[in-house]
Amino acid sequence: MLKTLTDWLDDRTGLPGLTRRVLDRPIPGGARWGHAVGFALASTIVVDLVTGLLLMTTYSPSSSTAWGSVYYITYQVDLGWFVRGLHRYASFASVILGGLFLVRLVLVGAYRAPREVHWWLAVATFLLILGAGVSGNILPWDQRGYWAAMVETSITGTTPVVGPTLKKLIIGGSTFGNLTVTRIYGAHVALLPGLLILCGWAYAVLFGKHGYHGSEKSKPTEPYWPRQAFFDFALSSAILGVLSGLTVFTHGYSLDAPADPSSDDYPARPEWYFLPLNLLLHVFEGREFIATQIIPGGVVAGLLFLPLLAKILPKKLGDVAASSFVVTLFGAASVLIGVAFYRDSVSEPFHQARARADRAAERATLLATRDGIAPAGASYLLSLDPLTRGHELFTKKCLGCHSLGDRKPEESSASNLKGYGSVAWVRGLLEKPDSVDYFGKTPDCGGMQTWKESSKLTARELDAVASFVAGFAVIPEELTPGNWLIDPKVKEHPGFEPYKRECAECHTLGDPAKGKMEPAPDLFAWGSDRWTARMIRTPGSTTHYGFLEAENAQKMPSFGGQLTEDDLRMLVKYIKGDYEQALPPAKSSGK
Amino acid sequence: MPNRRNFFRLGAVGLVNLFALALAVPGLKYLLDPLGKRSGSGDFRKLARLGQLKIGEPQAFAILAERRDAWVKYPTEPVGSVWLVRQPEGSPEPVLAFTAECPHLGCPVNLAPDRKTFLCPCHQAAFGFDGKKLNDVPPRGMDRLPVELSTEADPEVAVKFERFQPQTAEKKPLA
Ligand code: FES
């Protein structure tokens, strides 16, 4: 019964016969572990094809959705972290096995006649694996992928003659845009795997023609089944076991913060197998084309040329030359990778930049988990987070003069904004206006000190004024000064009367005389987002510190043209401490 | 020697299966992830005041909701629509609420051109204003939604928006 079925199948498709021929294929010199390297390489590629197909069911290729979908895979989908991690680690294993495979082909002499085409296919496979790795690294569109893409496409652009055109074709325009991720995705999931499968198929066909190579023709041969099959499967399973273990141990592969084109301290590094070229980039500073064009071009040309070398040179000499070439090549690459890792591991700036990048990644993940990601894209997670964006802006724009608590006041030339807007901050100002934390460093703003010297307010009254003024921050936006003033709660505030007596003389409350330069800032809604934003945008307006303008004194520069509305909002919220400090830990579906 | 051969034979077969399982088990778990995610059932949402509704005249209302879809959170936007039909004074239920999703295959049910019945534009399923089906296109009548009235003199009508499986004779909530 079974026999009739196999006979029928054999007759119609030839498959059972093919299987038998494969299983009975003679191996000169017998089964050995070394023969299993090629099979193991095929197996890691299969792992990547399977996990890749799974990831395709969730990943969304566009610059606004890529990060969100990878975040979703990593933190929300059942075992998503595992599938993504295994995909990544299996690609690393493919690179290593691809290299080993090439070295072995040369060492056993399987690169020369009649196996030249074998060899070229193997080299092509190796290059395709590198291409798949590089393109895959870009797809999450996180900081790592974005900056790697930036460097890699810039290098592509420097290729003589075709470079600029090629770069434009790859990224779909002159600069990164909506098409970039989609195009790279197309290459990663269709073009490159398609070519890889084609190479594998062609290799299998040629293998059927030439069979196992073996120099020991005299030794007895052994059929493929079962010993060599066992070796093949054992090595592949062991590698899968190690990769799975690595994935579980490292809890998958990390995801950096969403791509941020404005970041200026991200420690970009290529995939580890391109670290040698990255290192050479430093060596050949000023003549980068040696590292980006000549060396990689030369290596590929050399590899493709090896079978011809064997034709030119006598057999022994050719073998020695070819072997030393590949061994030196992959040996040197391994050493350079080690050197690159070592250099980073002892570089303090690298560690600091990496730690900042990790903090940003963690913050983005927490925000995405708590709030979800806006339809506009993941880049807004951090650019609309006061703690991240506000801190960045404060460091760049404000820290030169102001401090925010933790800086030594001697280094500042303006007030300390720690606690700005609070009762305590106002009370501190009323107590000692010429302290370095207030106007001590800005003698042109000496008005408060002049007041202090003649003030008759008691400590109690000062407390009341402080709480009165700190309350201005919450005056609702729709309330006009007139409507606010008729609220009995305002008139009855214990701070109102002393304020009227001593402060109102200089500080107006939403009722500045038209066109007249006020001698001190108007305090209506002082400390609110809008008052503070106006202070940053136009400190020289007549209702803020315009009087300094008139006197040609030391004053705060205007930041009006330098900040977008969103940035201004983030900066104000950051200064006021108006943001979520601690967040619940991100849900991570593993662990 | 036969024993050694058997070891390799069984070992090879075992290892192939192990390899496949090690990929298939996590792969399946990953692939089946959407089955484990529940669509949150909605709350009662205020749609109108009873006084705004005319007796016997269906009126459509959009259901506005913040929606979280995989990794994206959408701002408040329409996620569905509901027909409210006010009943004559003294009826046990002052207002009937029907989801506009057709029990046939999910298209949005509209009013017929003569405004006397409901009619689905996709395959002409017809329903009366009481939700009963008027032809055999749909498997059941329009799906009623729970209604809550507030206690004020002119009460607010709140509806709980839910979704149901199409193509079944009885109404089953969508998991
Ligand atoms: S979906 Fe309404 S009639 Fe088919």
Side-chain angles (χ1 to χ4, degrees):
Chain A
M1 176 66 194
L2 197 65
K3 175 107 176 58
T4 359
L5 191 66
T6 33
D7 282 349
W8 176 82
L9 212 62
D10 200 14
D11 182 52
R12 299 301 197 275
T13 66
L15 272 182
L18 181 67
T19 315
R20 214 169 303 123
R21 278 200 299 287
V22 168
L23 294 183
D24 293 341
R25 173 167 297 143
I27 304 173
R32 53 179 61 207
W33 284 101
H35 287 317
V37 174
F39 191 90
L41 171 60
S43 82
T44 54
I45 294 176
V46 166
V47 170
D48 263 336
L49 290 175
V50 172
T51 49
L53 267 175
L54 290 171
L55 292 172
M56 280 174 76
T57 64
T58 318
Y59 176 75
S60 174
S62 83
S63 50
S64 55
T65 58
W67 192 91
S69 60
V70 177
Y71 154 79
Y72 190 70
I73 291 170
T74 313
Y75 295 99
Q76 307 287 344
V77 179
D78 282 343
L79 289 185
W81 60 273
F82 181 82
V83 173
R84 175 169 171 250
L86 188 60
H87 188 68
R88 194 63 169 242
Y89 290 132
S91 85
F92 293 172
S94 303
V95 173
I96 297 173
L97 287 167
L100 282 178
F101 187 56
L102 288 183
V103 172
R104 189 183 132 78
L105 284 185
V106 171
L107 292 188
V108 300
Y111 68 100
R112 51 177 146 71
R115 292 190 170 82
E116 300 96 325
V117 183
H118 265 148
W119 169 256
W120 287 326
L121 284 173
V123 172
T125 303
F126 185 65
L127 295 179
L128 288 170
I129 290 171
L130 294 183
V134 165
S135 55
N137 182 38
I138 295 170
L139 292 182
W141 213 235
D142 56 352
Q143 286 280 70
R144 177 175 27 235
Y146 181 88
W147 293 108
M150 184 62 81
V151 174
E152 283 147 10
T153 55
S154 297
I155 288 176
T156 311
T158 64
T159 311
V161 193
V162 290
T165 318
L166 197 61
K167 174 181 173 183
K168 216 167 169 180
L169 275 180
I170 291 175
I171 67 179
S174 313
T175 51
F176 287 166
N178 278 323
L179 294 178
T180 309
V181 179
T182 314
R183 291 173 86 90
I184 292 174
Y185 174 74
H188 183 76
V189 303
L191 183 66
L192 295 171
L195 291 174
L196 258 178
I197 292 171
L198 206 65
C199 278
W201 172 78
Y203 197 92
V205 169
L206 286 184
F207 196 74
K209 184 170 161 62
H210 296 296
Y212 279 95
H213 51 76
S215 40
E216 310 104 314
K217 285 262 158 56
S218 52
K219 283 204 188 149
T221 61
E222 177 187 349
Y224 177 76
W225 183 261
R227 278 220 310 152
Q228 186 60 48
F230 178 84
F231 289 165
D232 281 359
F233 299 152
L235 186 61
S236 308
S237 303
I239 289 172
L240 181 58
V242 169
L243 295 176
S244 305
L246 192 64
T247 310
V248 172
F249 180 69
T250 58
H251 202 68
Y253 199 78
S254 64
L255 175 65
D256 252 340
D260 174 11
S262 75
S263 69
D264 51 13
D265 65 347
Y266 182 78
R269 292 289 180 278
E271 289 280 75
W272 57 265
Y273 36 85
F274 278 116
L275 283 174
L277 291 179
N278 197 46
L279 206 60
L280 291 175
L281 218 53
H282 290 295
V283 175
F284 294 107
E285 225 155 273
R287 287 163 298 153
E288 273 88 353
F289 64 95
I290 298 182
T292 61
Q293 307 290 338
I294 295 185
I295 292 179
V299 165
V300 172
L303 287 175
L304 294 177
F305 191 68
L306 278 192
L308 306 179
L309 191 72
K311 275 238 155 15
I312 303 167
L313 296 178
K315 186 164 177 268
K316 269 264 139 44
L317 193 61
D319 272 352
V320 170
S323 304
S324 24
F325 176 63
V326 286
V327 169
T328 320
L329 177 64
F330 286 99
S334 312
V335 170
L336 288 179
I337 290 169
V339 171
F341 273 124
Y342 174 75
R343 270 171 55 122
D344 280 346
S345 76
V346 296
S347 153
E348 195 45 40
F350 175 79
H351 282 297
Q352 283 170 5
R354 195 54 248 173
R356 275 194 297 277
D358 288 341
R359 272 201 303 280
E362 195 181 342
R363 180 82 179 165
T365 310
L366 292 173
L367 291 172
T369 308
R370 192 193 60 168
D371 301 338
I373 298 167
S379 58
Y380 295 93
L381 273 179
L382 293 182
S383 73
L384 292 182
D385 174 33
L387 181 57
T388 307
R389 187 65 185 148
H391 174 78
E392 216 172 283
L393 291 165
F394 191 86
T395 311
K396 275 192 196 138
K397 308 269 181 200
C398 316
L399 207 52
C401 302
H402 289 283
S403 52
L404 197 64
D406 40 5
R407 218 160 75 117
K408 289 194 206 80
E410 308 89 67
E411 292 168 9
S412 320
S413 59
S415 55
N416 182 346
L417 293 173
K418 174 95 187 162
Y420 162 80
S422 66
V423 178
W425 195 89
V426 182
R427 186 65 182 87
L429 169 64
L430 297 178
E431 189 60 40
K432 198 172 176 343
D434 64 347
S435 139
V436 285
D437 281 331
Y438 296 99
F439 293 120
K441 296 277 187 126
T442 46
D444 291 317
C445 303
M448 285 296 286
Q449 183 58 22
T450 316
W451 157 80
K452 184 71 192 170
E453 277 152 19
S454 62
S455 167
K456 300 197 181 60
L457 294 185
T458 65
R460 270 189 89 109
E461 285 172 319
L462 288 175
D463 287 346
V465 170
S467 96
F468 183 56
V469 173
F472 295 174
V474 294
I475 298 176
E477 199 153 349
E478 59 276 10
L479 215 56
T480 61
N483 285 339
W484 174 71
L485 266 174
I486 54 173
D487 184 346
K489 278 214 263 338
V490 173
K491 286 254 159 67
E492 283 157 22
H493 193 286
F496 180 75
E497 201 276 326
Y499 180 94
K500 268 253 114 84
R501 219 176 330 129
E502 292 210 356
C503 314
E505 199 178 307
C506 303
H507 293 285
T508 51
L509 264 180
D511 50 353
K514 246 211 153 92
K516 185 177 150 259
M517 187 66 74
E518 295 297 335
D522 182 278
L523 291 185
F524 182 70
W526 176 86
S528 68
D529 287 6
R530 58 190 186 283
W531 194 97
T532 315
R534 216 182 316 127
M535 179 66 207
I536 296 170
R537 205 186 294 128
T538 49
S541 82
T542 52
T543 53
H544 281 85
Y545 286 85
F547 60 92
L548 292 174
E549 214 85 18
E551 285 165 20
N552 218 352
Q554 175 196 350
K555 57 182 176 273
M556 173 165 153
S558 143
F559 291 91
Q562 308 175 28
L563 295 168
T564 66
E565 280 305 307
D566 281 340
D567 277 354
L568 192 57
R569 223 154 36 88
M570 293 307 115
L571 184 55
V572 169
K573 283 193 185 302
Y574 176 70
I575 292 171
K576 292 174 64 184
D578 180 10
Y579 50 84
E580 194 96 26
Q581 307 260 1
L583 287 169
K587 178 199 162 224
S588 123
S589 25
K591 275 205 181 139
Chain B
M1 204 54 195
N3 269 343
R4 270 178 71 83
R5 254 185 94 76
N6 269 339
F7 166 78
F8 286 119
R9 224 177 248 146
L10 288 176
V13 172
L15 285 169
V16 167
N17 286 303
L18 191 71
F19 187 94
L21 271 182
L23 271 186
V25 170
L28 267 180
K29 180 101 175 100
Y30 176 95
L31 205 57
L32 299 183
D33 174 77
L35 298 186
K37 299 242 177 333
R38 315 221 122 246
S39 60
S41 91
D43 298 326
F44 277 93
R45 269 174 244 273
K46 292 178 195 135
L47 294 183
R49 290 212 174 262
L50 190 60
Q52 284 172 256
L53 302 174
K54 295 191 198 100
I55 294 173
E57 225 177 84
Q59 267 173 277
F61 290 89
I63 296 287
L64 300 179
E66 262 191 357
R67 198 158 50 90
R68 196 150 173 175
D69 179 0
W71 60 91
V72 184
K73 172 141 125 223
Y74 292 94
T76 307
E77 62 178 12
V79 293
S81 112
V82 174
W83 285 104
L84 294 185
V85 190
R86 185 166 173 190
Q87 303 298 299
E89 293 305 331
S91 317
E93 303 193 52
V95 180
L96 296 184
F98 302 104
T99 169
E101 269 175 30
C102 181
H104 181 228
L105 287 169
C107 286
V109 174
N110 204 338
L111 283 180
D114 64 1
R115 308 184 70 84
K116 298 235 167 65
T117 57
F118 287 117
L119 185 69
C120 180
C122 290
H123 318 95
Q124 271 67 48
F127 308 90
F129 287 169
D130 56 359
K132 294 224 174 69
K133 59 180 190 148
L134 299 181
N135 58 23
D136 279 335
V137 178
R140 60 172 189 264
M142 284 172 82
D143 295 316
R144 291 264 306 269
L145 296 173
V147 177
E148 251 179 26
L149 294 188
S150 63
T151 50
E152 292 128 308
D154 183 9
E156 268 190 300
V157 183
V159 171
K160 185 172 176 188
F161 185 66
E162 291 168 309
R163 291 202 154 92
F164 304 94
Q165 284 181 24
Q167 282 292 305
T168 53
E170 70 278 26
K171 119 180 179 196
K172 281 192 221 148
L174 215 56

